[in-house]
Amino acid sequence: MTRAAGGSRVSRATVTPVAFADPPLRNVVGVHQPWALRAIVELHTDSGLVGLGETYADEAHLARLEAVTHALPGHDPYDVHGLRRLVADVLGRETGGAGASFGGMLDVSSAVDTVFSPFEVGCLDLVGRETGRPVSDLLGGAVRERVPFSGYLFYKWAGHPGRPDDDWGAALDPDGIVDQAKRMVDGWGFGSLKLKGGVLPPEQECAAVEALRDAFPELPLRLDPNGAWTPETSVRVAERLAGVVEYLEDPTPGIDGMGWVSARTDVPLATNMCVIAFEHLPPAVAADAVQVVLSDHHLWGGLRRSALLAGISETFGMGLSMHSNSHLGVSLAAMVHLAAATPNLTYACDTHYPWKTQDLIVPGALAFEDGSVAVPSGPGLGVELDREQLGVLHEEYLTCGVRRREDTVYMRSIEPGFTPNTARW
Amino acid sequence: MTRAAGGSRVSRATVTPVAFADPPLRNVVGVHQPWALRAIVELHTDSGLVGLGETYADEAHLARLEAVTHALPGHDPYDVHGLRRLVADVLGRETGGAGASFGGMLDVSSAVDTVFSPFEVGCLDLVGRETGRPVSDLLGGAVRERVPFSGYLFYKWAGHPGRPDDDWGAALDPDGIVDQAKRMVDGWGFGSLKLKGGVLPPEQECAAVEALRDAFPELPLRLDPNGAWTPETSVRVAERLAGVVEYLEDPTPGIDGMGWVSARTDVPLATNMCVIAFEHLPPAVAADAVQVVLSDHHLWGGLRRSALLAGISETFGMGLSMHSNSHLGVSLAAMVHLAAATPNLTYACDTHYPWKTQDLIVPGALAFEDGSVAVPSGPGLGVELDREQLGVLHEEYLTCGVRRREDTVYMRSIEPGFTPNTARW
């Protein structure tokens, strides 16, 4: 419903897919491709403002975003509920409703939240620009001036096969992980560390975490094998790492498995796999399956639905952390505003930021210092597109040949016969 | 934390207690006193705006509101989280923390939400006035142009003892209730009806509901005995009224009792007694004790925390309705904006509005038509104080002698030896 009051309306919306170089970061399903994809959403108003959003760029997702842009002209940026209906209507009409989204992991209700997200962020950016307020103010006000992030450690090769090595070098054992962590801590000041596991047998990953503990006695540590372990193995790992990790993230797949493990350890279990949509919360709560939920505004339907997730987590006694996929500066700005305005987000947020070598926002708005990013104080998200860089990254998208994230397919091109490590150990 | 961005700040805040005539409406704990109390909160900004809130006016509550007003100058109306901290700090300092609030029903965490509420509403009113947006827009946009309310039927005497009869007359049996309902439906157009029970033995109240069903075959009906029945009686009533009521509200006290009843009937159970704060939600969900939660922004910490309650209700599969106490136009405006911007509020809201004969807002902004109120489209709440009437009602407060709501004390002055009917039958 369009309200009577005045204010800018969206006159035009665009979606620009971009690609940026990504190192060969290993995970449970394979390895990152040489190019990571993102989509930049721009909402133009009749008054000349531009609101920004950033999201995934798998082909199916891009088609859905594109379909939404055609329905947006005339939309009131304040009208969140109307935007959600609009997205649901478009998805119902343009894609036939239920069905797989990118990655095949999401049902239609999650597809609505995922497609809705960059438009919701863009609308908040517009409202902030129109009112002269940072997005964090629109979310209830920043409760912290800086948002701490966790350094994200990965097992990795020295470089993508057939391409020059990147300058991080290989990390395939405890020493390699500790060296990587030292570079992260020295260069960025991270005050906590997360190791992406699910790559090597759990004993080796535990040894890496223990080596990190020895090298950084004071830093909170996390291990995330993305469900690579059986419930029994998860309990064994939890016993070994009790007192060493602040939480174990998705040791085993599924709410039932997590609940089984949770009942047998005091180590908090976190997730961004078995609870990634609102419909997963009731069974997870009933099973006491997770003690820490990782929010992610890209997946949970934007910043205000992420605030709802935060309120639910607080109400039901679950901790809150924040997940990231490979991302650029528009997403980082949104993550920082959301985290700043979420009182119970007491864990440092994840970010892939150190791993990328390119960006598309005007430099200077977001800087890591002591492992944290100051909340931008300008209107809206507080970041501007660097249009030249946007053009460069869009050109990379056009020429790189990657059209969806396929870590397993890419891994198999290097190691034929590779199968994901899900519950392998 | 005060953000760098510009905008108005609160320069001064006032609390004005008011009283308005209230008929002798019966309930489980006794009968309404001749005067109902409310407090009007005004937030003045350095730019000359005034934001309004309305809340309870029991003495202990008034003292807490007053204490908050002293801490408000300089507050940024956007800073919800800061406001909540401010209120919590003031309550900790000024009242010694834990302890009974008005009515003795609320613990300290609820006291924070209750004291916070009118200031949160006032801040939203200010933001709306500053941006030229109705409060419903600030809550994500109205999803309905009119908000339907339920006609609120009460057992009542013809008048307060020792005072002239009011013009509604007595209602102490099914015929009296049906006559009252006819006047409500004819005069206000209500499309659903709620009977406040807990006054007479359940058989008589069931007979009244059945008489309403006969007189109004199409209207949804509700019965709310405020916990007057045992769990066993509640099940018997549910069996008798299955298919007749859309829900039974608080048939029996407590989450455990409600859960026991809920397991034995398909009639939805609603509550505004056993779930009145966020901490009550986890045990209620675990026990499947309630199928419909009655929100109430006065109790749940304002409009945005009521939106959080709505999101929780949706996520956990509970329906949502809205509770009211005796209230005036500032509260009605806030209720209408909230209800308009809450997609899953699919039940008609409660209101005591027909029972009052006085108000303190400039007439015309809010009108009942076909049992519903159009969402004000002006900036903020869309209502203005009628300062003359505010003076009249404040004078009534000063002279009426009532300083807190004490239905039982008043009832005993008329029927010595009366004890509340809680779980009596």
Side-chain angles (χ1 to χ4, degrees), chain A residues 1-9 76-82 85 130-134 136-145 278-279 281-283 285 304-305 307-312 314-317 337 340-343 375-378, chain B residues 1-9 76-82 85 130-134 136-145 278-279 281-283 285 304-305 307-312 314-317 337 340-343 375-378:
Chain A
M1 186 171 85
T2 304
R3 305 281 312 142
S8 301
R9 294 294 186 277
D76 177 353
Y78 278 86
D79 188 7
V80 190
H81 300 311
R85 274 197 313 280
E130 191 168 88
T131 58
R133 289 290 186 149
S136 54
D137 278 10
L138 305 179
L139 299 173
V143 299
R144 45 188 73 93
E145 294 180 5
F278 288 92
E279 66 208 66
L281 285 163
V285 165
R304 277 161 294 194
R305 284 175 72 77
L308 169 59
L309 172 62
I312 293 175
E314 182 166 45
T315 300
F316 286 86
H337 283 287
T342 307
V375 186
S377 59
Chain B
M1 187 172 84
T2 304
R3 302 284 311 142
S8 302
R9 295 292 186 278
D76 176 353
Y78 278 86
D79 188 9
V80 191
H81 300 311
R85 272 197 315 280
E130 190 168 87
T131 57
R133 290 288 186 150
S136 55
D137 277 10
L138 305 180
L139 300 173
V143 300
R144 43 189 74 91
E145 294 181 3
F278 288 91
E279 67 208 64
L281 286 163
V285 165
R304 278 160 292 194
R305 282 174 73 77
L308 168 59
L309 172 62
I312 293 175
E314 182 167 45
T315 300
F316 287 86
H337 283 286
T342 306
V375 186
S377 58

Side-chain angles (χ1 to χ4, degrees), chain B residues 163-225:
Chain B
R163 297 166 184 259
D165 288 355
D166 60 59
D167 69 352
W168 286 86
L172 293 163
D173 56 21
D175 286 350
I177 291 295
V178 168
D179 287 347
Q180 191 183 96
K182 283 181 176 162
R183 177 166 168 182
M184 286 248 178
V185 170
D186 290 348
W188 303 69
F190 289 113
S192 62
L193 294 167
K194 167 173 173 169
L195 174 60
K196 174 61 77 182
V199 175
L200 302 175
E203 296 70 28
Q204 296 182 42
E205 298 189 349
C206 285
V209 170
E210 288 160 347
L212 289 168
R213 169 53 65 237
D214 290 343
F216 305 95
E218 305 298 328
L219 265 52
L221 302 174
R222 311 165 184 177
L223 174 57
D224 171 17

